[in-house]
Amino acid sequence: MDAGRLSRGRTYARQGMVGPVTIAPGLVKAPVQGSRPRPYRSAVHLPVLTDTQWDTLLDTVAGRAGHLAVLLDDEMPAELIDDARQVGIPLLPQPTELAPECSCPDWGYPCKHAAALCYAIASTIDDDPFVLFALRGRGRAEVLTGLRARRTASRAAQAPPAPAGIHAAYAYAAWADLAAHTPGLPDLPDVPQPSAHTAALPVAPPANSGVSLPDLQRLMADVTVRARQLLSGDATSLHLTQHQDAVRIAASSPGPQWFHRLVQNTGTAPTAFARLTRAWRHGGSTGIAVAEQPHTPDPLAMTAARTALSAALAEMTDTPVRLRAWRNRLTLTGLGIQLRLGPDALWYPCLQDDGEWWPAAPAASDPVAALTAVWQPAPPHPDR
């Protein structure tokens, strides 16, 4: 994030330029006074927790008697954030989860007004930790009711609360580490072909279910592949949203019928969904994030990339090429090539087609290598 805008935002917040704050599930908004007479309308969005995540979180809080006592004193238990993270619940928002917006003309992400709102809400959470719960989807009364119900059930059973457990990603990572350091354990078997699952189905799906036998066979084959990945320590699929998982399935080339069904059920435009499918093939879930969400990277990284690309272009073509920078994107004007710096510090090359940018090759750690992967030299001039 832009350090200058963050600094200005902190100053705005300290000077009281953030107006009355409205808090709703997944949203905080407020008018923020800027250089104009009328305040700007600033807001920050973040994902709310699912019901399953709330159950896990409340179980974790209820399992520690001290947590509830500290919360009732309007303080955030120091260990609660870590405890929630251990069971896979992102209670404290991560920078990648925050989606700011503002009515000001500043292109910053976030602008100084949205940054001021972030500082103001952080101060509010310091005074009232239940604000953080409200942003994640449930207010004070609902949280306390859920906690009291769990404590009452625990006392009625006269037994210690059931252990909250750990997130499946940590469990599979532990298994992979054990397998790697334990001699004599057999290697994972090869993934069987989809046709091998036919005999495992005891009955065909009901005629009116909308699911065919080939559909189930493909789903079972997909589950087999994912299970093998999990046992090998790759728990990426456990962190995917429903939208990302739909793109992942489409990227496995399930056929046009599945593709159109996935497009319809996700509510995504077909062309946009096809671009995300290609982004997955080149970069997985990170590739989708790069395709959908621009961000403001370290300016030094962008400057170094421009210098390296300018030197490389001087050797690759005799025609001057203008490099245009915006946020994490470097566009080679007139060539239909764009390089995007991802949150993983890799460069993702894109090519322009009919006014849209399409992922074109796997990411590279070097911007020149990413450019070379999609570079198409101009045809020789007839007079040469």
Side-chain angles (χ1 to χ4, degrees):
M1 295 183 177
D2 190 316
R5 287 182 173 84
L6 290 178
S7 177
R8 292 287 300 278
R10 183 168 57 249
T11 301
Y12 275 27
R14 290 174 176 173
Q15 292 178 347
M17 301 177 76
V18 179
V21 176
T22 299
I23 297 171
L27 172 68
V28 56
K29 60 182 180 179
V32 180
Q33 186 65 53
S35 57
R36 299 180 180 179
R38 176 177 296 180
Y40 295 110
R41 299 183 303 276
S42 296
V44 177
H45 301 264
L46 70 158
V48 298
L49 300 181
T50 64
D51 290 342
T52 301
Q53 288 177 314
W54 270 111
D55 287 340
T56 303
L57 176 61
L58 294 178
D59 287 343
T60 302
V61 177
R64 298 278 295 271
H67 285 349
L68 181 57
V70 175
L71 284 173
L72 291 176
D73 287 337
D74 286 334
E75 294 181 11
M76 176 63 73
E79 302 85 2
L80 177 55
I81 300 299
D82 291 335
D83 290 349
R85 187 183 298 113
Q86 286 295 322
V87 294
I89 307 300
L91 179 58
L92 191 67
Q94 301 299 309
T96 54
E97 292 184 293
L98 301 176
E101 63 175 276
C102 187
S103 61
C104 76
D106 189 357
W107 53 265
Y109 193 86
C111 67
K112 52 183 173 290
H113 311 101
L117 178 56
C118 288
Y119 282 110
I121 192 62
S123 177
T124 303
I125 292 172
D126 286 342
D127 297 331
D128 182 2
F130 286 92
V131 170
L132 182 55
F133 292 105
L135 288 174
R136 285 302 197 181
R138 296 190 181 180
R140 174 193 291 261
E142 194 172 4
V143 170
L144 292 179
T145 298
L147 291 175
R148 291 191 182 103
R150 283 162 171 79
R151 296 300 298 274
T152 301
S154 176
R155 294 190 188 99
Q158 295 182 349
I166 62 173
H167 193 272
Y170 298 106
Y172 282 114
W175 164 257
D177 183 67
L178 175 65
H181 295 88
T182 305
L185 284 182
D187 294 334
L188 292 174
D190 293 332
V191 177
Q193 296 298 319
S195 58
H197 300 290
T198 306
L201 296 176
V203 294
N208 59 351
S209 66
V211 179
S212 67
L213 186 62
D215 287 340
L216 285 179
Q217 292 173 358
R218 177 170 289 280
L219 287 173
M220 292 178 69
D222 180 67
V223 168
T224 303
V225 173
R226 292 182 63 195
R228 193 180 195 283
Q229 291 173 340
L230 289 170
L231 288 174
S232 66
D234 180 3
T236 306
S237 62
L238 293 177
H239 302 284
L240 299 180
T241 65
Q242 188 176 35
H243 173 68
Q244 292 171 333
D245 200 49
V247 174
R248 178 192 66 80
I249 294 173
S252 66
S253 302
Q257 184 177 3
W258 270 54
F259 182 87
H260 292 308
R261 224 186 266 175
L262 290 168
V263 169
Q264 181 180 9
N265 290 337
T266 57
T268 310
T271 302
F273 193 82
R275 282 201 306 274
L276 294 180
T277 301
R278 188 178 297 180
W280 177 275
R281 289 172 179 159
H282 288 313
S285 58
T286 304
I288 293 180
V290 172
E292 290 186 314
Q293 303 168 2
H295 68 277
T296 303
D298 182 359
L300 294 178
M302 298 297 289
T303 300
R306 293 189 66 170
T307 301
L309 289 171
S310 297
L313 288 168
E315 298 181 1
M316 297 167 70
T317 178
D318 296 332
T319 304
V321 178
R322 178 171 171 262
L323 280 171
R324 182 168 57 87
W326 180 76
R327 307 268 291 270
N328 63 323
R329 303 174 181 181
L330 289 174
T331 304
L332 283 67
T333 305
L335 296 181
I337 298 175
Q338 185 179 88
L339 305 180
R340 300 184 177 185
L341 181 58
D344 53 0
L346 298 180
W347 289 91
Y348 290 76
C350 301
L351 293 177
Q352 193 173 39
D353 184 11
D354 196 22
E356 300 287 349
W357 291 104
W358 289 75
S365 57
D366 178 24
V368 176
L371 170 62
T372 304
V374 295
W375 177 261
Q376 297 179 354
H381 193 279
D383 295 335
R384 295 182 180 176

